[in-house]
Amino acid sequence: MLEAISEVTVNPMPEELSKKQTTRLNKLQKRLRREVGSVIADYNMIEDGDKIMCCLSGGKDSYAMLDILMNLQQRAPIQFEIIAVNLDQKQPGFPEHVLPAYLDKLNVPYHILEKDTYSIVKDKIPEGKTTCSLCSRLRRGTLYGFAQRIGATKIALGHHRDDIIETLFLNMFFGGKMKAMPPKLLSDDGANIVIRPLAYCREKDLEEYASLKEFPIIPCNLCGSQENLKRAAVKDMLNQWDKQYPGRIETIFTAMQNTAPSQGVDREQFDFVSLTRDPDAPMRGDVAEANLPAFDFLDIANSGRIDLDAAKRIDIVNTYEV
């Protein structure tokens, strides 16, 4: 793994692509930009005058996020700044030259933060245990603090739709909570707003986009060296569902956008205790309407059909009235 990381080369622009690859890249760019534009509009992620701190990890997702946001910045009807920020967590063998060289060629303002969270994680987490939780908290704290220092109004993270759905199932299966990653989040202290511009984007599209763009991907040696992570198991489950039932992943995400607290069991989200009926409320909805025709229940039992003969309806109504 360390050898693989050290061999990463900087290539901010793709090599000569075939006609087929160029066509595919153009289609992907249009789709991803449309999806990012839609989620920004739907959640009011970026406003005029914003300073966006774009967190760049060296993975495919954050590269794609920066690329798409820079493109939208040129076309948007509003003005906003983009500042790329990478946190060097001092993982052994981390290629420190890759991101600065890549960002220099993009001509985008950037900062490289250095903080040895790797040693802290290794010291606190026993060998073989999942390091993701502590690593994420340390990284988040550093980035939140730096956003305040540079006056960033929004912090952009590269989580995509698959990440959001996986997090939902992770919390359901292992945390006993129905929650995921919101596209827009206010930090607990109210000091920072986190946005996820890739929330509508599929991971497989981002993978292909990164390949065609030839981003200089930097593997995460800290997390990637651990096997059998719960997230990997959930990812495998969802991939299997996607193969067996095409469209299921899209349906799950749509369901997350259409929650109904009154149809659940969470007493914090809906006041079930105080529910009372209104004796004066007009009958409507899932009730038998007064103007529906009466029918012979015996006829249904014998023939399996409803007899809507007008004379018989009148006769049955009279019989019941007696």
Side-chain angles (χ1 to χ4, degrees):
M1 177 64 73
L2 298 184
E3 290 76 14
I5 294 177
S6 63
E7 292 173 1
V8 172
T9 57
V10 177
N11 187 15
M13 299 300 293
E15 297 291 344
E16 190 70 27
L17 299 176
S18 67
K19 184 177 180 180
K20 183 177 180 181
Q21 289 175 317
T22 301
T23 300
R24 181 57 184 163
L25 177 58
N26 289 336
K27 288 183 177 180
L28 272 176
Q29 284 178 327
K30 290 179 181 179
R31 178 190 300 164
L32 291 171
R33 289 169 186 170
R34 182 177 64 251
E35 290 169 343
V36 171
S38 294
V39 78
I40 288 175
D42 288 348
Y43 294 89
N44 191 31
M45 287 187 178
I46 299 178
E47 302 169 272
D48 193 38
D50 267 340
K51 179 182 285 190
I52 310 297
M53 190 175 93
C54 189
C55 298
L56 198 64
S57 66
K60 67 182 189 310
D61 306 322
S62 59
Y63 275 124
M65 178 179 66
L66 176 62
D67 181 87
I68 296 168
L69 286 180
M70 290 182 66
N71 182 270
L72 292 177
Q73 183 186 38
Q74 299 172 5
R75 305 165 184 264
I78 60 174
Q79 299 293 319
F80 62 92
E81 294 181 57
I82 295 176
I83 300 176
V85 173
N86 167 256
L87 174 59
D88 180 356
Q89 298 177 269
K90 296 304 175 183
Q91 300 175 30
F94 182 80
E96 298 178 356
H97 66 288
V98 172
L99 281 169
Y102 175 79
L103 294 170
D104 282 337
K105 292 187 178 182
L106 286 185
N107 195 31
V108 61
Y110 71 89
H111 296 275
I112 305 296
L113 311 181
E114 298 185 1
K115 188 165 185 178
D116 190 2
T117 61
Y118 178 87
S119 297
I120 298 174
V121 169
K122 285 299 184 182
D123 179 63
K124 300 296 183 183
I125 304 297
E127 189 69 29
K129 296 294 183 179
T130 301
T131 61
C132 298
S133 179
L134 177 58
C135 180
S136 296
R137 290 200 302 272
L138 293 172
R139 183 169 61 247
R140 183 166 56 247
T142 301
L143 293 173
Y144 279 8
F146 189 71
Q148 292 292 299
R149 284 177 54 191
I150 64 174
T153 56
K154 305 283 174 59
I155 300 173
L157 302 180
H159 297 119
H160 46 69
R161 189 189 65 181
D162 297 65
D163 287 326
I164 294 172
I165 296 175
E166 288 164 14
T167 302
L168 171 68
F169 281 95
L170 278 169
N171 283 319
M172 287 172 58
F173 293 164
F174 305 108
K177 296 180 180 179
M178 188 79 72
K179 71 173 188 177
M181 296 174 173
K184 186 177 182 181
L185 172 72
L186 180 65
S187 61
D188 292 340
D189 59 9
N192 292 288
I193 292 180
V194 174
I195 59 174
R196 295 183 170 95
L198 303 182
Y200 287 175
C201 301
R202 299 180 298 181
E203 183 175 23
K204 59 184 179 182
D205 287 342
L206 294 168
E207 287 177 345
E208 186 177 5
Y209 187 69
S211 176
L212 291 171
K213 294 283 286 188
E214 296 185 355
F215 294 137
I217 305 299
I218 302 174
C220 179
N221 186 48
L222 182 58
C223 303
S225 62
Q226 299 176 52
E227 299 180 356
N228 302 318
L229 294 179
K230 294 174 181 177
R231 183 174 289 274
V234 170
K235 183 185 289 289
D236 289 342
M237 178 193 73
L238 293 172
N239 286 338
Q240 183 60 38
W241 283 358
D242 195 34
K243 293 177 182 177
Q244 190 172 0
Y245 307 102
R248 173 172 285 189
I249 304 304
E250 287 77 8
T251 302
I252 293 173
F253 191 76
T254 300
M256 295 174 68
Q257 296 174 295
N258 293 279
T259 58
S262 66
Q263 306 303 303
V265 294
D266 189 340
R267 293 172 296 164
E268 297 295 326
Q269 299 301 317
F270 189 80
D271 186 8
F272 294 98
V273 175
S274 300
L275 283 180
T276 57
R277 63 177 295 274
D278 181 358
D280 299 321
M283 295 179 64
R284 62 179 182 270
D286 298 334
V287 296
E289 297 290 350
N291 61 350
L292 289 179
F295 50 84
D296 190 340
F297 290 96
L298 184 60
D299 214 35
I300 299 175
N302 292 335
S303 65
R305 64 186 181 85
I306 298 176
D307 189 341
L308 295 178
D309 179 78
K312 179 170 287 189
R313 293 204 304 271
I314 294 173
D315 180 61
I316 294 170
V317 171
N318 290 336
T319 300
Y320 285 132
E321 287 179 347
V322 172

